[in-house]
Amino acid sequence: MALTKVEAIPMKESLLKMEGISERTVREHWKLYEGYVNKTNEIREKLAQGYADLSKAHQTYSDYRALKVELSFAWSGVKNHEIYFSNLGGSGGEPGGRLAELIRRDFGSFSEWVKDLKASGMAARGWVWLALDYADGRLYNYVGDSQNTYPIWDATPILALDTYEHAYFIDYGTNRGEYIEAFLHNLDWEDVAARLESAIRRFEAR
């Protein structure tokens, strides 16, 4: 069976003109994203070609386990970064429409959502996701320590905040809080809103 090769998404020009997140940071960060794309393809190819002996699969260590675990890391890295970069390059501020309504419904107010996102960003070792959870149709901020840790099943992320040091260290050193402020200042709410609408259609079709 022919494999479908993963391709990197094109970089939005607006990512290189953000206030508070430098072009250098974006370009270096983008290289990491492209690395996840390349490794996803490499691991998929090895699995397809039978690189690992399935009969020797073992939970402590085996080539098959290693490939499967690292595929979850690489492929999640692709998906997380594609949401993250698509979310950025906007003018920040507050969202409108249904997104604003659901944020107010589920967090009390936009300012309370911001507080929760900032606290989640300081608590997470790698990622924060604003996701629509299909269990109850509500929005939540979830945290992850790695590309592939603490996934919340049956939920769709509509916003991704990368809190790994590579996302901000060039610009802010250890001051993650200032970076989160810059992230909010550059949010593309139209992208987030479009992801919400897509997630709602899936939820309503269930």
Side-chain angles (χ1 to χ4, degrees):
M1 181 176 66
L3 287 175
T4 301
K5 188 174 182 181
V6 178
E7 301 284 350
I9 61 173
M11 182 190 292
K12 295 193 298 186
E13 286 296 318
S14 57
L15 291 176
L16 304 177
K17 302 172 184 177
M18 293 190 289
E19 183 178 339
I21 302 177
S22 67
E23 178 178 342
R24 182 186 173 196
T25 288
V26 172
R27 290 194 182 279
E28 293 298 321
H29 200 167
W30 194 267
K31 292 176 187 176
L32 292 174
Y33 158 63
E34 291 177 326
Y36 288 126
V37 170
N38 294 336
K39 286 300 177 182
T40 296
N41 288 323
E42 179 183 335
I43 296 169
R44 282 181 166 183
E45 186 68 26
K46 286 186 174 181
L47 286 167
Q49 293 178 351
Y51 174 86
D53 186 343
L54 275 63
S55 68
K56 295 182 179 179
H58 195 277
Q59 65 189 24
T60 301
Y61 173 80
S62 63
D63 290 336
Y64 193 67
R65 172 182 165 78
L67 288 174
K68 284 288 191 173
V69 169
E70 299 312 327
L71 177 61
S72 74
F73 184 82
W75 189 214
S76 294
V78 172
K79 293 182 177 183
N80 290 337
H81 281 92
E82 288 184 353
I83 299 172
Y84 172 78
F85 285 124
S86 294
N87 284 166
L88 286 173
S91 56
E94 295 189 23
R98 181 147 59 166
L99 176 57
E101 293 172 7
L102 294 187
I103 287 176
R104 287 194 296 268
R105 182 196 70 183
D106 297 337
F107 293 90
S109 67
F110 178 73
S111 63
E112 287 300 314
W113 172 76
V114 169
K115 288 180 185 177
D116 190 81
L117 182 83
K118 288 179 177 179
S120 298
M122 298 304 293
R125 295 173 184 168
W127 288 92
V128 178
W129 303 281
L130 172 63
L132 179 70
D133 196 311
Y134 296 148
D136 57 10
R138 299 180 72 85
L139 294 173
Y140 296 94
N141 287 325
Y142 291 126
V143 302
D145 284 349
S146 186
Q147 309 286 13
N148 54 348
T149 54
Y150 317 138
I152 303 297
W153 301 111
D154 213 21
T156 295
I158 62 171
L159 180 149
L161 167 61
D162 190 342
T163 61
Y164 275 112
E165 284 80 3
H166 62 244
Y168 61 88
F169 217 81
I170 291 173
D171 297 328
Y172 296 103
T174 59
N175 194 340
R176 184 186 291 185
E178 274 196 45
Y179 155 69
I180 296 174
E181 291 283 358
F183 172 85
L184 288 165
H185 185 74
N186 290 283
L187 271 176
D188 181 348
W189 284 114
E190 289 185 6
D191 181 79
V192 181
R195 292 178 186 279
L196 172 65
E197 292 304 318
S198 177
I200 288 174
R201 286 193 294 271
R202 293 182 198 171
F203 176 66
E204 292 177 342
R206 293 161 66 84

